[in-house]
Amino acid sequence: MTGGPAPLVLVEGLTVAYRGVRVVDDVSFSIDAGGSYGLVGESGSGKSTAAGSLTASLGVDAEVRAGRLEVDGADVTALRGERLRRFRRDVVAVVHQEPGLALNPTMTVGRQVAEVLRATGSGRAEAERATVEAFTRVGLPAPETIGVRYPHELSGGQQQRVAIAMALVARPRLLVLDEPTTGLDATVEAGIMALIDELRAELGFATLLISHNLPLVAAHCDRVGVLRHGALVEEGSAARVLTAPKDPYTVRLVEALPDITVGKPADGAAAGPSGPAGQGADPAVLVEVRGLRKEYDGRAALDGVDLDLRRGEVLGVVGESGSGKTTFGRALAGLVRYDGTIDLRSDGEQHTPPVQVVFQNADASLNPRRTVRQVLGRAIRLLGGDGTAEHLAARVGLGQDVLDRRPAQLSGGQKQRVAIARAFAGPVPLVVCDEPTSALDVSVQARILDLVLDLQRTTGTTCVFISHDLAVVRRVADRIAVFEGGRLVDLAPAERVFDDGTHPRTRALVAAAQDLRRRAGLTGRLATS
């Protein structure tokens, strides 16, 4: 390190333990001013803990030891009181994965961003002007007026853009991005990361990017560290580590990536027509949607959607955040009121069959007081299943030892398996999967996708699979529906969408996803033996 400027971030021999159990073990890395570093690894590998040590936010239970732990010349381990408050205000900023938890639900989003600016010395008028400018730069719609909304009035992707705007207006020396694009589609993700790269070059701050999105890390980081069980098993340039990995664990991570060039394995599922069938009594149609409309505060979240869902198919639903994807899924599940008609049929009868939903955040959808055995047993009874909790757990790859645990004692992947098992616990005609794998690392994601496909094939259940990850959608979908501004703008077999999208929004989404992988050098599987 002699002969040049000192790194802005310097970590040497970092070890973090909770009650004697090491979660980060002798980790060392550095980030230059204006540089970017990516940390990848499976859930529980220590990524967020390592980042938390740099922002002094691990809490009193954490035992942090390091040879050196410095950010912009400050010894983080020695910060206390007013020095620590100034450090968190002026030196570091964090964008978390869950913006709904990071934003104050009782304050408008404009006031929250302006409050950051006021804390750094801006006057009221200047803060209001800079807030609108920040909203414009992160691509929020109607930036002049969106600031009067509260977080719950925004989509998940819009909430994330507000959180990113809050971090950027603070002009930190270190910006920690902890899964910052989980809720964003490919085009918005590309715009946000391009903005961060531009400001990093302009202002000279460093970024630490924590993500399970390997193409994102490869495309936007200079160097990458791979964590496993708290230890750094591989480190080097992003181009080398993620395209020619040396450690077997890194190889497995890269090989678990869904290949955007490969579609769903042939399984005889009904592909359906390329547009609304309009066939009323067609026995192959399970769900007929006509004139579906939903408004929030005078704004159309769904605007005249017509669609037929066929029995046994998987319909992928894609589009920008705020395009209406989740509202469409919630309408199918009866979770929101709407105008128009949704006719769900069961064996030709006109009563409404049960619809199950697998949400992105299993933590929020599982009862924290019930054991896995109780959750699955209740689902079997309610859905008319004929198995047992033990059999259902085994079917989704859960060991019998988890049956008497509660959700807090499970990993993210295990929680999502419980949520999926619950949805398929009985003969359910329709399951809506709303971003079920976006919060999972790539190896767990691959196993969950295989699980969903296997259950869908064996039960004949129709699935609506909502995701912003086009590689994931291509892996599972027979047809793909593309939403923009609440409207259904494209609907076609998956192969046609990727090879010859008819709508400009479709082409933009596919191009953004493909461009990210080209930039990352991850166009397909590893070409290694």
Side-chain angles (χ1 to χ4, degrees):
M1 296 180 189
T2 58
L8 192 142
V9 176
L10 182 57
V11 178
E12 292 182 352
L14 174 65
T15 297
V16 181
Y18 290 95
R19 297 175 182 174
V21 178
R22 288 191 179 188
V23 292
V24 174
D25 190 3
D26 196 23
V27 167
S28 299
F29 63 89
S30 62
I31 316 173
D32 292 332
S36 55
Y37 192 93
L39 274 179
V40 301
E42 293 181 307
S43 301
S45 62
K47 305 186 299 294
S48 294
T49 300
S53 67
L54 286 170
T55 58
S57 57
L58 293 182
V60 296
D61 292 334
E63 304 169 24
V64 180
R65 298 192 304 275
R68 298 178 75 176
L69 187 63
E70 299 177 0
V71 178
D72 199 25
D75 179 358
V76 180
T77 62
L79 295 176
R80 302 288 187 277
E82 181 60 27
R83 289 182 60 208
L84 178 57
R85 285 189 287 273
R86 287 200 305 268
F87 175 79
R88 289 173 174 167
R89 184 193 68 189
D90 301 333
V91 180
V92 297
V94 183
V95 177
H96 296 282
Q97 177 177 342
E98 291 291 339
L101 300 178
L103 297 176
N104 187 333
T106 68
M107 292 173 60
T108 64
V109 295
R111 183 181 166 196
Q112 292 186 58
V113 176
E115 192 175 70
V116 175
L117 290 158
R118 295 295 299 275
T120 56
S122 296
R124 183 183 299 275
E126 182 183 358
E128 291 177 353
R129 177 193 57 77
T131 296
V132 172
E133 180 182 335
F135 285 162
T136 302
R137 296 193 80 170
V138 298
L140 280 164
E144 296 84 4
T145 58
I146 199 171
V148 301
R149 296 188 192 176
Y150 290 87
H152 73 273
E153 297 176 306
L154 306 180
S155 72
Q158 290 168 342
Q159 290 177 0
Q160 191 64 293
R161 278 179 271 182
V162 171
I164 291 170
M166 288 179 65
L168 292 177
V169 297
R171 299 212 164 197
R173 297 293 292 143
L174 170 64
L175 178 61
V176 177
L177 302 161
D178 192 351
E179 300 283 6
T181 62
T182 291
L184 304 180
D185 66 87
T187 52
V188 175
E189 175 184 79
I192 291 294
M193 292 307 298
L195 170 63
I196 291 173
D197 288 346
E198 173 190 330
L199 291 176
R200 178 165 52 82
E202 174 188 334
L203 302 176
F205 60 78
T207 57
L208 175 62
L209 174 60
I210 300 166
S211 182
H212 62 269
N213 186 333
L214 298 187
L216 186 77
V217 171
H220 294 281
C221 292
D222 306 318
R223 297 182 66 79
V224 173
V226 182
L227 282 174
R228 185 188 188 199
H229 302 321
L232 205 60
V233 297
E234 187 162 2
E235 189 201 31
S237 70
R240 201 278 302 162
V241 170
L242 297 181
T243 58
K246 297 177 180 177
D247 188 85
Y249 174 71
T250 312
V251 171
R252 290 198 299 274
L253 282 181
V254 177
E255 288 186 336
L257 276 171
D259 189 342
I260 199 169
T261 66
V262 176
K264 180 181 179 181
D267 58 8
S274 60
Q279 296 175 343
D282 185 347
V285 174
L286 174 70
V287 183
E288 184 183 87
V289 179
R290 293 293 180 268
L292 183 62
R293 183 173 179 83
K294 173 64 180 177
E295 289 190 358
Y296 291 106
D297 298 323
R299 182 183 63 86
L302 293 173
D303 189 4
V305 174
D306 294 331
L307 173 71
D308 284 347
L309 267 172
R310 301 177 75 83
R311 298 177 189 274
E313 79 166 329
V314 178
L315 178 73
V317 179
V318 302
E320 290 187 341
S321 53
S323 64
K325 304 188 301 294
T326 290
T327 303
F328 174 68
R330 288 177 176 269
L332 288 177
L335 297 179
V336 296
R337 294 182 177 179
Y338 55 83
D339 296 318
T341 61
I342 299 178
D343 181 15
L344 290 87
R345 305 171 190 152
S346 180
D347 298 324
E349 300 177 13
Q350 294 303 307
H351 66 82
T352 301
V355 180
Q356 291 296 295
V357 184
V358 180
F359 295 99
Q360 173 181 343
N361 187 356
D363 269 329
S365 62
L366 295 177
N367 190 325
R369 295 184 179 88
R370 289 199 173 118
T371 66
V372 173
R373 188 187 305 279
Q374 291 170 326
V375 169
L376 299 184
R378 183 173 185 270
I380 291 169
R381 291 192 301 275
L382 292 177
L383 299 180
D386 56 6
T388 64
E390 290 81 3
H391 174 263
L392 190 55
R395 192 179 182 193
V396 298
L398 286 169
Q400 300 298 298
D401 59 313
V402 308
L403 284 170
D404 294 313
R405 297 181 192 172
R406 290 180 171 79
Q409 298 170 296
L410 305 179
S411 69
Q414 288 173 325
K415 292 172 189 174
Q416 200 60 290
R417 285 174 185 267
V418 174
I420 291 169
R422 179 179 59 182
F424 286 90
V428 180
L430 177 62
V431 173
V432 176
C433 298
D434 190 0
E435 299 276 12
T437 63
S438 64
L440 304 176
D441 63 78
V442 288
S443 57
V444 176
Q445 173 182 268
R447 295 193 291 271
I448 293 295
L449 292 177
D450 287 342
L451 169 62
V452 170
L453 278 179
D454 180 61
L455 290 171
Q456 185 267 334
R457 288 191 195 102
T458 56
T459 62
T461 297
T462 299
C463 282
V464 172
F465 197 99
I466 302 167
S467 179
H468 66 274
D469 189 329
L470 268 69
V472 166
V473 171
R474 187 164 196 179
R475 173 78 176 83
V476 301
D478 300 301
R479 286 190 300 161
I480 295 177
V482 182
F483 280 73
E484 181 183 33
R487 294 178 297 113
L488 178 64
V489 297
D490 211 347
L491 178 64
E495 292 303 311
R496 190 188 307 171
V497 165
F498 277 87
D499 297 338
D500 187 27
T502 59
H503 192 274
R505 172 51 49 200
T506 305
R507 294 195 293 271
L509 288 170
V510 172
Q514 292 174 336
D515 181 63
L516 176 63
R517 295 195 172 220
R518 278 195 298 269
R519 288 181 59 198
L522 296 169
T523 53
R525 302 264 180 204
L526 286 175
T528 57
S529 58

